[in-house]
Protein backbone atom coordinates (compact mmCIF):
# COMPACT_ATOMS: atom_id res chain seq x y z
CA UNK A 1 0.00 0.00 0.00
CA UNK A 2 1.46 3.34 -0.95
CA UNK A 3 1.54 5.83 1.84
CA UNK A 4 -0.23 9.07 1.17
CA UNK A 5 2.00 12.04 1.59
CA UNK A 6 -0.16 14.75 0.12
CA UNK A 7 -0.72 17.89 2.14
CA UNK A 8 -4.38 17.02 2.50
CA UNK A 9 -3.44 14.27 4.87
CA UNK A 10 -2.15 16.75 7.35
CA UNK A 11 -5.54 18.20 8.02
CA UNK A 12 -5.22 18.13 11.78
CA UNK A 13 -3.83 21.01 13.71
CA UNK A 14 -0.04 21.19 14.15
CA UNK A 15 -0.31 20.46 17.86
CA UNK A 16 -1.77 17.07 17.07
CA UNK A 17 0.55 16.26 14.26
CA UNK A 18 3.14 13.88 15.49
CA UNK A 19 5.75 11.87 13.76
CA UNK A 20 6.22 9.58 16.66
CA UNK A 21 4.80 6.15 16.89
CA UNK A 22 4.12 5.87 20.57
CA UNK A 23 0.68 6.24 21.95
CA UNK A 24 1.04 8.46 24.95
CA UNK A 25 -1.12 11.32 24.00
CA UNK A 26 -4.47 12.05 25.45
CA UNK A 27 -5.57 14.03 22.44
CA UNK A 28 -8.51 12.64 20.58
CA UNK A 29 -7.31 12.71 17.05
CA UNK A 30 -3.75 12.35 16.03
CA UNK A 31 -2.41 12.21 12.59
CA UNK A 32 0.64 10.08 12.89
CA UNK A 33 3.35 10.02 10.36
CA UNK A 34 5.45 7.10 11.33
CA UNK A 35 6.69 3.71 10.39
CA UNK A 36 4.01 1.16 10.02
CA UNK A 37 4.38 -0.94 13.06
CA UNK A 38 5.02 1.44 15.86
CA UNK A 39 1.57 1.63 17.24
CA UNK A 40 -0.52 4.56 18.16
CA UNK A 41 0.26 8.16 18.15
CA UNK A 42 1.49 10.63 20.65
CA UNK A 43 1.85 14.28 21.12
CA UNK A 44 5.39 15.23 22.09
CA UNK A 45 4.36 16.77 25.38
CA UNK A 46 3.21 13.47 26.83
CA UNK A 47 5.97 11.38 25.48
CA UNK A 48 8.51 11.81 28.19
CA UNK A 49 10.33 8.51 27.82
CA UNK A 50 11.18 8.92 24.18
CA UNK A 51 14.76 9.74 23.31
CA UNK A 52 15.17 12.75 21.05
CA UNK A 53 16.89 10.88 18.27
CA UNK A 54 14.21 8.24 17.91
CA UNK A 55 11.50 10.48 16.57
CA UNK A 56 13.13 10.93 13.19
CA UNK A 57 14.15 7.31 12.94
CA UNK A 58 10.62 6.07 13.30
CA UNK A 59 9.32 8.14 10.46
CA UNK A 60 8.66 5.57 7.81
CA UNK A 61 6.48 7.84 5.77
CA UNK A 62 3.29 5.89 6.29
CA UNK A 63 0.34 7.35 8.10
CA UNK A 64 -2.04 5.70 10.45
CA UNK A 65 -4.66 7.01 12.83
CA UNK A 66 -5.73 5.92 16.28
CA UNK A 67 -9.18 5.70 17.75
CA UNK A 68 -8.95 7.19 21.19
CA UNK A 69 -12.58 7.62 22.07
CA UNK A 70 -13.89 4.12 22.49
CA UNK A 71 -16.92 2.56 20.87
CA UNK A 72 -19.00 3.18 18.92
CA UNK A 73 -16.33 5.11 17.06
CA UNK A 74 -17.19 8.76 17.03
CA UNK A 75 -17.90 10.50 13.78
CA UNK A 76 -14.69 12.50 13.43
CA UNK A 77 -12.53 9.40 13.77
CA UNK A 78 -14.92 7.42 11.62
CA UNK A 79 -14.92 9.94 8.78
CA UNK A 80 -11.17 10.28 8.99
CA UNK A 81 -10.82 6.52 8.52
CA UNK A 82 -12.89 6.64 5.37
CA UNK A 83 -11.10 9.69 4.01
CA UNK A 84 -7.81 7.93 4.50
CA UNK A 85 -8.80 4.75 2.65
CA UNK A 86 -10.44 6.77 -0.12
CA UNK A 87 -7.09 8.46 -0.63
CA UNK A 88 -5.05 5.27 -0.73
CA UNK A 89 -7.31 2.86 -2.58
CA UNK A 90 -7.25 3.03 -6.41
CA UNK A 91 -11.05 3.04 -6.55
CA UNK A 92 -11.17 5.76 -3.93
CA UNK A 93 -14.57 7.13 -3.01
CA UNK A 94 -16.35 4.58 -5.18
CA UNK A 95 -15.03 1.80 -2.99
CA UNK A 96 -15.96 3.73 0.13
CA UNK A 97 -19.51 4.39 -1.08
CA UNK A 98 -19.97 0.78 -2.03
CA UNK A 99 -19.39 -0.27 1.53
CA UNK A 100 -20.97 2.61 3.41
CA UNK A 101 -24.09 2.68 1.29
CA UNK A 102 -24.57 -1.08 1.27
CA UNK A 103 -28.00 -1.94 2.61
CA UNK A 104 -26.72 -5.26 3.75
CA UNK A 105 -23.26 -6.20 4.85
CA UNK A 106 -22.33 -9.70 5.97
CA UNK A 107 -21.87 -9.96 9.69
CA UNK A 108 -18.33 -11.04 10.43
CA UNK A 109 -18.62 -13.80 13.03
CA UNK A 110 -17.34 -12.98 16.48
CA UNK A 111 -14.64 -15.57 17.18
CA UNK A 112 -14.97 -17.50 20.42
CA UNK A 113 -12.47 -16.51 23.04
CA UNK A 114 -10.26 -19.51 23.68
CA UNK A 115 -10.70 -21.09 27.07
CA UNK A 116 -7.90 -23.01 28.63
CA UNK A 117 -8.59 -26.57 29.63
CA UNK A 118 -6.26 -28.45 31.99
CA UNK A 119 -5.91 -31.19 29.40
CA UNK A 120 -4.38 -28.72 26.91
CA UNK A 121 -0.65 -28.61 26.45
CA UNK A 122 1.06 -25.23 26.41
CA UNK A 123 1.79 -25.42 22.66
CA UNK A 124 -1.86 -26.25 22.01
CA UNK A 125 -2.94 -23.28 24.10
CA UNK A 126 -0.63 -20.98 22.17
CA UNK A 127 -2.04 -22.26 18.90
CA UNK A 128 -5.57 -21.60 20.18
CA UNK A 129 -4.62 -18.04 21.13
CA UNK A 130 -2.88 -17.39 17.83
CA UNK A 131 -5.87 -18.75 15.92
CA UNK A 132 -8.11 -16.41 17.86
CA UNK A 133 -5.97 -13.42 16.95
CA UNK A 134 -5.88 -14.50 13.31
CA UNK A 135 -9.66 -14.72 13.36
CA UNK A 136 -9.77 -11.07 14.47
CA UNK A 137 -7.57 -10.36 11.41
CA UNK A 138 -4.73 -7.98 10.86
CA UNK A 139 -5.92 -4.42 10.62
CA UNK A 140 -5.28 -2.98 7.16
CA UNK A 141 -7.70 -0.08 7.43
CA UNK A 142 -5.12 2.50 8.41
CA UNK A 143 -6.93 3.31 11.65
CA UNK A 144 -5.92 1.53 14.80
CA UNK A 145 -9.02 0.84 16.84
CA UNK A 146 -7.50 0.37 20.27
CA UNK A 147 -5.17 2.85 21.84
CA UNK A 148 -2.14 1.27 23.43
CA UNK A 149 0.06 3.38 25.65
CA UNK A 150 3.17 1.36 26.27
CA UNK A 151 3.93 3.19 29.48
CA UNK A 152 0.57 2.39 31.02
CA UNK A 153 0.42 0.09 34.00
CA UNK A 154 -0.15 -3.53 33.13
CA UNK A 155 -3.57 -3.54 34.76
CA UNK A 156 -4.70 -0.75 32.44
CA UNK A 157 -3.43 -2.57 29.37
CA UNK A 158 -5.28 -5.69 30.48
CA UNK A 159 -8.45 -3.62 30.51
CA UNK A 160 -7.71 -2.70 26.89
CA UNK A 161 -7.25 -6.40 26.13
CA UNK A 162 -10.71 -7.06 27.54
CA UNK A 163 -12.05 -4.31 25.33
CA UNK A 164 -10.39 -5.91 22.29
CA UNK A 165 -12.20 -9.14 23.07
CA UNK A 166 -15.48 -7.35 23.70
CA UNK A 167 -15.40 -5.29 20.50
CA UNK A 168 -13.82 -8.03 18.36
CA UNK A 169 -12.18 -5.90 15.67
CA UNK A 170 -9.02 -6.21 13.55
CA UNK A 171 -5.78 -5.58 15.41
CA UNK A 172 -2.15 -4.78 14.71
CA UNK A 173 1.08 -6.01 16.22
CA UNK A 174 1.18 -4.03 19.44
CA UNK A 175 -2.42 -4.82 20.25
CA UNK A 176 -1.67 -8.48 19.60
CA UNK A 177 1.13 -8.40 22.17
CA UNK A 178 -1.21 -7.00 24.80
CA UNK A 179 -3.90 -9.49 23.92
CA UNK A 180 -1.38 -12.32 23.98
CA UNK A 181 -0.30 -11.32 27.47
CA UNK A 182 -3.89 -11.22 28.65
CA UNK A 183 -4.76 -14.62 27.22
CA UNK A 184 -1.68 -16.28 28.66
CA UNK A 185 -2.04 -14.81 32.13
CA UNK A 186 -2.19 -17.46 34.78
CA UNK A 187 -0.29 -20.07 32.78
CA UNK A 188 2.63 -19.74 35.12
CA UNK A 189 4.79 -22.31 33.35
CA UNK A 190 4.85 -19.93 30.37
CA UNK A 191 6.90 -16.74 30.49
CA UNK A 192 6.12 -13.83 28.19
CA UNK A 193 8.32 -10.96 27.12
CA UNK A 194 8.18 -8.41 24.31
CA UNK A 195 10.55 -8.55 21.35
CA UNK A 196 10.76 -5.38 19.27
CA UNK A 197 12.38 -5.08 15.88
CA UNK A 198 13.56 -2.09 13.97
CA UNK A 199 14.30 -2.78 10.34
CA UNK A 200 15.13 -0.86 7.25
CA UNK A 201 13.70 -1.21 3.79
CA UNK A 202 14.41 1.05 0.90
CA UNK A 203 15.70 3.83 3.10
CA UNK A 204 12.78 3.76 5.52
CA UNK A 205 12.63 2.43 9.06
CA UNK A 206 9.96 0.04 10.21
CA UNK A 207 9.04 -1.17 13.64
CA UNK A 208 7.40 -4.37 14.71
CA UNK A 209 6.76 -6.13 18.00
CA UNK A 210 5.86 -9.69 18.93
CA UNK A 211 5.32 -11.47 22.22
CA UNK A 212 8.19 -13.81 22.94
CA UNK A 213 7.24 -16.87 24.98
CA UNK A 214 9.35 -19.29 26.93
CA UNK A 215 8.34 -22.61 28.39
CA UNK A 216 10.20 -25.67 29.48
CA UNK A 217 13.45 -24.78 27.81
CA UNK A 218 11.96 -23.63 24.52
CA UNK A 219 11.25 -20.25 22.97
CA UNK A 220 8.54 -19.20 20.59
CA UNK A 221 6.33 -16.20 19.88
CA UNK A 222 2.80 -14.93 19.42
CA UNK A 223 1.85 -11.93 17.34
CA UNK A 224 0.20 -10.37 14.34
CA UNK A 225 1.77 -9.07 11.17
CA UNK A 226 1.06 -8.59 7.51
CA UNK A 227 3.59 -11.36 6.93
CA UNK A 228 2.83 -14.85 8.14
CA UNK A 229 6.41 -15.61 9.08
CA UNK A 230 6.85 -12.51 11.21
CA UNK A 231 4.33 -13.28 13.90
CA UNK A 232 3.88 -16.61 15.64
CA UNK A 233 6.75 -19.03 15.96
CA UNK A 234 6.38 -22.47 17.54
CA UNK A 235 7.83 -23.26 20.95
CA UNK A 236 10.73 -25.14 19.43
CA UNK A 237 13.66 -22.74 19.58
CA UNK A 238 16.29 -23.77 22.05
CA UNK A 239 17.65 -20.29 22.66
CA UNK A 240 16.52 -16.70 22.40
CA UNK A 241 19.29 -16.16 19.86
CA UNK A 242 17.83 -18.88 17.69
CA UNK A 243 14.38 -17.31 17.83
CA UNK A 244 15.67 -13.86 16.91
CA UNK A 245 17.77 -15.35 14.12
CA UNK A 246 14.62 -16.96 12.78
CA UNK A 247 12.95 -13.56 12.66
CA UNK A 248 15.97 -12.02 11.01
CA UNK A 249 15.90 -14.73 8.39
CA UNK A 250 12.20 -14.08 7.79
CA UNK A 251 12.82 -10.36 7.46
CA UNK A 252 15.43 -11.00 4.79
CA UNK A 253 12.79 -12.64 2.62
CA UNK A 254 11.10 -9.24 2.49
CA UNK A 255 14.37 -7.41 1.95
CA UNK A 256 14.22 -5.83 5.36
CA UNK A 257 17.54 -5.35 7.10
CA UNK A 258 17.48 -5.77 10.83
CA UNK A 259 18.80 -2.67 12.57
CA UNK A 260 17.83 -3.09 16.21
CA UNK A 261 16.35 -5.72 18.46
CA UNK A 262 14.91 -4.87 21.85
CA UNK A 263 14.10 -7.55 24.34
CA UNK A 264 11.96 -6.80 27.34
CA UNK A 265 11.59 -8.55 30.65
CA UNK A 266 9.15 -11.24 31.66
CA UNK A 267 5.67 -9.85 32.11
CA UNK A 268 4.09 -10.68 35.47
CA UNK A 269 1.11 -13.01 35.38
CA UNK A 270 -0.87 -10.97 37.82
CA UNK A 271 -3.18 -8.83 35.66
CA UNK A 272 -3.67 -6.33 38.47
CA UNK A 273 -0.04 -5.32 38.71
CA UNK A 274 0.45 -1.58 38.50
CA UNK A 275 3.93 -1.59 37.04
CA UNK A 276 4.34 -1.03 33.30
CA UNK A 277 5.73 -3.59 30.90
CA UNK A 278 9.46 -3.41 30.49
CA UNK A 279 9.77 -3.21 26.70
CA UNK A 280 13.46 -2.77 26.19
CA UNK A 281 15.71 -4.11 28.85
CA UNK A 282 18.22 -5.21 26.25
CA UNK A 283 18.80 -3.18 23.11
CA UNK A 284 21.01 -4.60 20.42
CA UNK A 285 22.23 -2.67 17.43
CA UNK A 286 22.27 -5.39 14.82
CA UNK A 287 24.03 -3.17 12.34
CA UNK A 288 27.06 -2.84 14.56
CA UNK A 289 27.19 -6.17 16.32
CA UNK A 290 28.28 -9.25 14.52
CA UNK A 291 25.88 -12.15 14.32
CA UNK A 292 27.88 -14.13 16.84
CA UNK A 293 28.03 -11.30 19.32
CA UNK A 294 24.33 -10.69 19.00
CA UNK A 295 23.59 -14.28 19.67
CA UNK A 296 25.88 -14.24 22.66
CA UNK A 297 24.13 -11.23 24.14
CA UNK A 298 20.72 -12.71 23.48
CA UNK A 299 21.69 -15.97 25.06
CA UNK A 300 22.99 -14.16 28.10
CA UNK A 301 19.81 -12.16 28.41
CA UNK A 302 17.78 -15.31 28.06
CA UNK A 303 19.77 -16.95 30.83
CA UNK A 304 19.47 -13.92 33.05
CA UNK A 305 15.73 -13.83 32.52
CA UNK A 306 15.42 -17.49 33.33
CA UNK A 307 17.48 -17.00 36.45
CA UNK A 308 15.17 -14.12 37.34
CA UNK A 309 18.09 -11.92 38.20
CA UNK A 310 16.96 -9.07 36.03
CA UNK A 311 14.73 -6.46 37.48
CA UNK A 312 12.75 -3.78 35.79
CA UNK A 313 13.49 -0.24 36.78
CA UNK A 314 9.93 0.06 38.00
CA UNK A 315 9.60 -3.39 39.48
CA UNK A 316 8.20 -3.63 42.93
CA UNK A 317 8.48 -7.33 43.59
CA UNK A 318 11.68 -8.87 44.94
CA UNK A 319 13.94 -10.80 42.64
CA UNK A 320 13.20 -14.48 42.74
CA UNK A 321 16.12 -16.75 42.23
CA UNK A 322 15.77 -20.07 40.69
CA UNK A 323 18.48 -22.68 40.74
CA UNK A 324 17.87 -24.01 37.36
CA UNK A 325 20.76 -25.32 35.41
CA UNK A 326 24.04 -23.56 35.22
CA UNK A 327 24.50 -20.02 34.32
CA UNK A 328 27.71 -18.23 33.65
CA UNK A 329 26.03 -14.90 34.26
CA UNK A 330 27.20 -13.00 37.31
CA UNK A 331 24.68 -12.54 40.06
CA UNK A 332 23.15 -9.15 40.25
CA UNK A 333 21.36 -7.71 43.20
CA UNK A 334 20.05 -4.57 41.77
CA UNK A 335 18.22 -3.83 38.63
CA UNK A 336 20.59 -3.86 35.77
CA UNK A 337 20.42 -0.72 33.72
CA UNK A 338 19.12 -1.04 30.26
CA UNK A 339 21.87 -2.56 28.25
CA UNK A 340 22.55 -0.90 25.02
CA UNK A 341 25.01 -2.26 22.58
CA UNK A 342 25.17 0.58 20.17
CA UNK A 343 28.71 1.69 20.43
CA UNK A 344 30.56 -1.50 19.88
CA UNK A 345 32.43 -1.40 16.68
CA UNK A 346 31.79 -4.16 14.30
CA UNK A 347 35.26 -5.23 13.30
CA UNK A 348 34.07 -7.45 10.54
CA UNK A 349 33.69 -6.07 7.08
CA UNK A 350 30.68 -3.83 6.70
CA UNK A 351 27.69 -5.85 7.77
CA UNK A 352 25.12 -3.37 6.70
CA UNK A 353 23.94 -4.11 3.26
CA UNK A 354 22.97 -1.04 1.43
CA UNK A 355 20.09 -1.63 -0.84
CA UNK A 356 20.20 0.10 -4.19
CA UNK A 357 18.25 3.37 -3.98
CA UNK A 358 16.10 2.43 -6.95
CA UNK A 359 14.13 0.03 -4.77
CA UNK A 360 12.03 2.89 -3.52
CA UNK A 361 11.11 3.90 -7.03
CA UNK A 362 9.83 0.49 -8.00
CA UNK A 363 6.12 0.04 -8.25
CA UNK A 364 5.24 3.64 -7.42
CA UNK A 365 7.16 3.64 -4.15
CA UNK A 366 5.51 0.56 -2.65
CA UNK A 367 7.21 -0.56 0.49
CA UNK A 368 7.06 -4.04 1.90
CA UNK A 369 5.53 -3.36 5.28
CA UNK A 370 5.54 -5.80 8.06
CA UNK B 1 -51.98 21.67 47.67
CA UNK B 2 -54.88 19.55 46.49
CA UNK B 3 -53.99 16.06 45.34
CA UNK B 4 -55.50 16.79 41.90
CA UNK B 5 -53.20 19.77 41.46
CA UNK B 6 -50.18 17.69 42.34
CA UNK B 7 -51.10 15.27 39.59
CA UNK B 8 -51.34 18.07 37.05
CA UNK B 9 -48.06 19.60 38.04
CA UNK B 10 -45.65 19.30 35.11
CA UNK B 11 -42.54 17.22 35.61
CA UNK B 12 -39.52 19.54 35.63
CA UNK B 13 -36.86 16.89 35.99
CA UNK B 14 -35.02 16.47 32.63
CA UNK B 15 -32.93 13.43 33.45
CA UNK B 16 -33.37 10.62 30.97
CA UNK B 17 -35.79 7.94 31.92
CA UNK B 18 -34.96 4.31 32.08
CA UNK B 19 -36.70 3.90 28.74
CA UNK B 20 -34.57 6.63 27.16
CA UNK B 21 -31.41 5.03 28.42
CA UNK B 22 -32.45 1.64 27.10
CA UNK B 23 -33.23 3.13 23.70
CA UNK B 24 -29.93 4.96 23.64
CA UNK B 25 -28.07 1.83 24.56
CA UNK B 26 -29.87 -0.13 21.88
CA UNK B 27 -29.06 2.53 19.28
CA UNK B 28 -25.43 2.48 20.32
CA UNK B 29 -25.31 -1.30 20.02
CA UNK B 30 -26.80 -1.14 16.53
CA UNK B 31 -24.31 1.52 15.52
CA UNK B 32 -21.45 -0.58 16.84
CA UNK B 33 -22.68 -3.60 14.93
CA UNK B 34 -22.97 -1.62 11.73
CA UNK B 35 -19.53 -0.11 12.23
CA UNK B 36 -18.06 -3.55 12.83
CA UNK B 37 -19.62 -4.88 9.64
CA UNK B 38 -18.26 -1.94 7.66
CA UNK B 39 -14.82 -2.28 9.23
CA UNK B 40 -14.55 -5.92 8.25
CA UNK B 41 -15.84 -5.22 4.75
CA UNK B 42 -13.25 -2.47 4.44
CA UNK B 43 -10.51 -4.63 5.90
CA UNK B 44 -11.22 -7.29 3.31
CA UNK B 45 -10.80 -4.77 0.51
CA UNK B 46 -7.63 -3.26 1.96
CA UNK B 47 -6.12 -6.67 2.66
CA UNK B 48 -6.68 -7.63 -0.97
CA UNK B 49 -5.13 -4.37 -2.12
CA UNK B 50 -2.05 -4.94 0.01
CA UNK B 51 -1.69 -8.47 -1.33
CA UNK B 52 -2.04 -7.30 -4.93
CA UNK B 53 0.58 -4.61 -4.44
CA UNK B 54 2.91 -7.02 -2.70
CA UNK B 55 2.57 -9.58 -5.47
CA UNK B 56 3.13 -6.95 -8.14
CA UNK B 57 6.18 -5.68 -6.31
CA UNK B 58 7.65 -9.17 -6.04
CA UNK B 59 7.07 -9.77 -9.74
CA UNK B 60 8.73 -6.51 -10.59
CA UNK B 61 11.70 -7.34 -8.42
CA UNK B 62 11.98 -10.72 -10.09
CA UNK B 63 11.93 -9.26 -13.57
CA UNK B 64 14.48 -6.65 -12.53
CA UNK B 65 16.70 -9.41 -11.24
CA UNK B 66 16.44 -11.25 -14.53
Amino acid sequence: MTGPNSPSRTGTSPAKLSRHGRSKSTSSHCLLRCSTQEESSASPANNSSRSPGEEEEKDGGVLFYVNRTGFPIESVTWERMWSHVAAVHPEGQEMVDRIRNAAYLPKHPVPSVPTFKPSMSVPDWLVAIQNYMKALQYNHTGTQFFEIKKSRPLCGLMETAREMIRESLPIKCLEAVILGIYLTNGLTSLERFPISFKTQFSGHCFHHVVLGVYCNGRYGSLGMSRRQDLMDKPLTHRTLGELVAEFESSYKRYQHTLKKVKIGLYVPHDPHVFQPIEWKHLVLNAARLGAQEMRKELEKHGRDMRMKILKSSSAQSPIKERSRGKSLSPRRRQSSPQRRFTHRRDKSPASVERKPPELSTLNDGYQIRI
Amino acid sequence: MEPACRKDKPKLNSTPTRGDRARQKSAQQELKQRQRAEIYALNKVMTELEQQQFDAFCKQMQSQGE
Side-chain angles (χ1 to χ4, degrees), chain A residues 1-2 72-73 78 81-82 88-90 95 99-100 102 105 108-110 136-141 145 167-170 201 227 254-255 359 362-363 366 368, chain B residues 27-64:
Chain A
M1 182 193 304
T2 54
I73 297 171
W78 189 244
M81 179 183 80
W82 288 111
V88 302
H89 196 275
M95 176 277 291
I99 296 173
R100 295 190 77 178
L105 285 171
H108 187 83
V110 175
L136 292 176
Q137 293 181 11
Y138 186 86
N139 183 355
H140 282 94
T141 65
F145 299 117
E167 301 300 328
S168 186
L169 290 170
F201 171 81
R227 314 298 161 203
Y254 305 105
Q255 298 175 26
L359 260 182
L362 287 174
N363 208 19
Y366 173 75
I368 301 180
Chain B
Q28 278 208 327
Q29 263 314 106
E30 276 179 33
L31 177 57
K32 274 168 59 168
Q33 281 172 11
R34 174 68 194 191
Q35 284 186 341
R36 186 170 178 273
E38 288 188 19
I39 282 168
Y40 273 103
L42 173 63
N43 207 43
K44 183 170 183 280
V45 167
M46 299 306 282
T47 304
E48 284 164 3
L49 174 68
E50 162 65 25
Q51 193 57 48
Q52 280 163 20
Q53 290 181 332
F54 178 68
D55 291 342
F57 183 85
C58 292
K59 275 182 189 155
Q60 198 170 357
M61 286 298 296
Q62 251 180 346
S63 57
Q64 287 268 334

Side-chain angles (χ1 to χ4, degrees), chain A residues 43-212:
Chain A
S43 64
N46 288 334
N47 206 347
S48 54
S49 60
R50 179 174 32 128
S51 60
E54 284 187 353
E55 191 170 1
E56 291 73 32
E57 287 174 355
K58 286 183 172 37
D59 194 351
V62 180
L63 307 173
F64 69 88
Y65 299 94
V66 180
N67 170 39
R68 298 184 189 285
T69 52
F71 302 91
I73 297 171
E74 61 166 29
S75 63
V76 177
T77 309
W78 189 244
E79 294 304 322
R80 190 182 60 194
M81 179 183 80
W82 288 111
S83 298
H84 169 76
V85 296
V88 302
H89 196 275
E91 290 175 46
Q93 195 60 39
E94 202 183 303
M95 176 277 291
V96 165
D97 292 342
R98 223 174 16 242
I99 296 173
R100 295 190 77 178
N101 296 337
Y104 168 77
L105 285 171
K107 187 185 171 189
H108 187 83
V110 175
S112 306
V113 184
T115 46
F116 182 74
K117 298 175 188 61
S119 56
M120 282 174 109
S121 67
V122 171
D124 286 345
W125 178 232
L126 295 178
V127 166
I129 292 172
Q130 187 64 49
N131 285 342
Y132 173 73
M133 293 201 282
K134 283 179 182 173
L136 292 176
Q137 293 181 11
Y138 186 86
N139 183 355
H140 282 94
T141 65
T143 295
Q144 184 176 309
F145 299 117
F146 305 95
E147 183 183 14
I148 305 289
K149 294 184 181 181
K150 290 169 87 172
S151 58
R152 262 185 98 185
L154 185 63
C155 52
L157 292 173
M158 293 301 96
E159 186 50 50
T160 305
R162 280 189 282 275
E163 190 180 38
M164 283 187 232
I165 292 170
R166 211 164 41 237
E167 301 300 328
S168 186
L169 290 170
I171 57 174
K172 294 168 75 177
C173 61
L174 186 57
E175 292 150 295
V177 167
I178 303 305
L179 187 54
I181 290 170
Y182 177 79
L183 290 171
T184 52
N185 273 342
L187 192 60
T188 49
S189 59
L190 180 79
E191 298 288 2
R192 306 83 41 89
F193 55 97
I195 308 176
S196 307
F197 302 95
K198 179 181 170 182
T199 58
Q200 190 176 35
F201 171 81
S202 190
H204 293 280
C205 284
F206 295 83
H207 295 81
H208 182 42
V209 64
V210 297
L211 184 66

Side-chain angles (χ1 to χ4, degrees), chain A residues 9-44:
Chain A
R9 301 250 40 89
T10 57
T12 55
S13 63
K16 294 172 184 170
L17 180 65
S18 169
R19 290 185 299 149
H20 199 269
R22 300 191 192 279
S23 170
K24 296 190 176 71
S25 169
T26 54
S27 64
S28 296
H29 315 291
C30 261
L31 173 63
L32 173 66
R33 183 187 174 88
C34 75
S35 59
T36 312
Q37 304 308 319
E38 193 62 28
E39 303 295 334
S40 299
S41 55
S43 64

Side-chain angles (χ1 to χ4, degrees), chain A residues 14 17 53 69 91 179 186 211 217 219-220 228 256 288 298-299 353:
Chain A
L17 180 65
T69 52
E91 290 175 46
L179 187 54
L211 184 66
Y219 289 90
Q228 296 297 313
H256 276 238
R288 297 190 188 189
L298 286 164
E299 249 103 76
E353 291 178 16

